[in-house]
Amino acid sequence: MSIRGRSMDWDGAVNAWHVSGGIYRMGRREWLTEAGWKQAFDDGVRTVVDLRNVGEGRRRDTDPVVPAAALTGIDVVHAPTEEPDDPRFTALTGPYLNDPAHYAGNARLFPEKLVGVFRALASAAPKGDVLLHCAAGRDRSGMVAAMVQDLAGDSDEAIAEGYRRAARGINERYRTHGPPHSRERYLEDPELGPLLERRGLAVVAFVRNLGTRSYLLANGLSPAELDAVLAICRPSVDTMGPV
């Protein structure tokens, strides 16, 4: 049984973590190797929910070559969390979401998008475990993961630490491989630590003010769909690792 907060060592995976119950998160799925997909399948993953926008999901020259057969038995579902060209969104976040201070604005602007993500989780629940991913595995994944943790009954500290782990994970990737563009950079611990302390608290404030259950029901998720989400996101026993 997976321990919440455990790093997943699927081959090639970047910033991959167990969230709660049957839900995992990570960065770009194109980083996984063929062996990594087999490991994820063996761990129970049967659905991948891609939170990225149209056009982001493409192979790069540096990505491993993975045959389509490597994903046999795993469904890939696209459920973006935003409308990236909406001027209200870009005025708030800039070109993309990269700060938990803007999660509430994302939720306010695009409730149908976030309900779509949780509807995808509900549909996937009977098939097995679910892997959420965006690009870095930090903010879009972090926003949805915090909502999952809220539904699972996690503590404030566990939710904050979930974000901090993922932010540290992609920061380490930037150290070893360099950032993808000028808006991101590797941060040394004296700068990263205080930043993550503030941002962890911001994630908690977002999800507690949102009230995930009420938000989803008010914006069109059915009670039956919510029950399916709860079934997959809540652990059957307390398996929380150290935070």
Side-chain angles (χ1 to χ4, degrees):
M1 181 173 292
S2 293
I3 297 175
R4 281 184 279 174
R6 179 166 68 95
S7 176
M8 307 308 297
D9 58 357
W10 304 322
D11 190 52
V14 174
N15 216 9
W17 304 89
H18 181 249
V19 178
S20 184
I23 299 181
Y24 302 84
R25 62 184 289 188
M26 70 175 185
R28 303 173 61 247
R29 71 175 183 274
E30 292 84 5
W31 280 320
L32 255 68
T33 66
E34 182 175 4
W37 282 111
K38 183 180 186 305
Q39 290 169 321
F41 184 89
D42 289 346
D43 277 335
V45 172
R46 295 296 181 268
T47 304
V48 172
V49 177
D50 186 343
L51 304 175
R52 297 175 298 180
N53 301 303
V54 175
E56 288 187 77
R58 57 186 181 276
R59 184 182 175 277
R60 301 171 184 169
D61 291 342
T62 53
D63 294 333
V65 175
V66 177
L71 274 74
T72 299
I74 299 177
D75 296 328
V76 177
V77 178
H78 290 87
T81 61
E82 66 199 25
E83 291 285 352
D85 298 325
D86 188 314
R88 299 170 300 167
F89 179 71
T90 55
L92 179 69
T93 67
Y96 62 88
L97 183 69
N98 75 336
D99 187 333
H102 300 146
Y103 290 4
N106 195 130
R108 174 178 53 82
L109 289 172
F110 309 119
E112 74 288 351
K113 296 290 188 183
L114 289 179
V115 167
V117 172
F118 283 85
R119 186 163 283 134
L121 291 179
S123 296
K127 304 170 190 174
D129 293 353
V130 178
L131 173 58
L132 300 161
H133 83 88
C134 53
R138 182 188 59 202
D139 285 295
R140 286 172 288 188
S141 297
M143 177 173 57
V144 175
M147 295 171 72
V148 166
Q149 289 184 269
D150 184 33
L151 292 174
D154 280 3
S155 68
D156 289 359
E157 178 56 25
I159 292 171
E161 186 59 20
Y163 174 84
R164 294 179 195 132
R165 285 183 178 123
R168 287 188 182 278
I170 198 62
N171 189 62
E172 177 62 15
R173 172 77 178 186
Y174 296 161
R175 183 186 71 79
T176 58
H177 290 72
H181 47 70
S182 60
R183 199 177 188 219
E184 300 286 344
R185 61 188 177 90
Y186 171 69
L187 301 178
E188 298 283 355
D189 275 345
E191 184 178 4
L192 182 66
L195 177 69
L196 295 192
E197 186 64 26
R198 294 193 301 272
R199 289 190 171 182
L201 294 175
V203 174
V204 172
F206 155 69
V207 80
R208 298 309 191 208
N209 290 331
L210 183 73
T212 304
R213 177 193 293 263
S214 297
Y215 171 84
L216 293 172
L217 292 173
N219 287 289
L221 195 73
S222 73
E225 288 170 327
L226 179 61
D227 286 344
V229 172
L230 293 173
I232 193 172
C233 78
R234 285 179 172 170
S236 56
V237 296
D238 185 6
T239 53
M240 174 66 82
V243 296

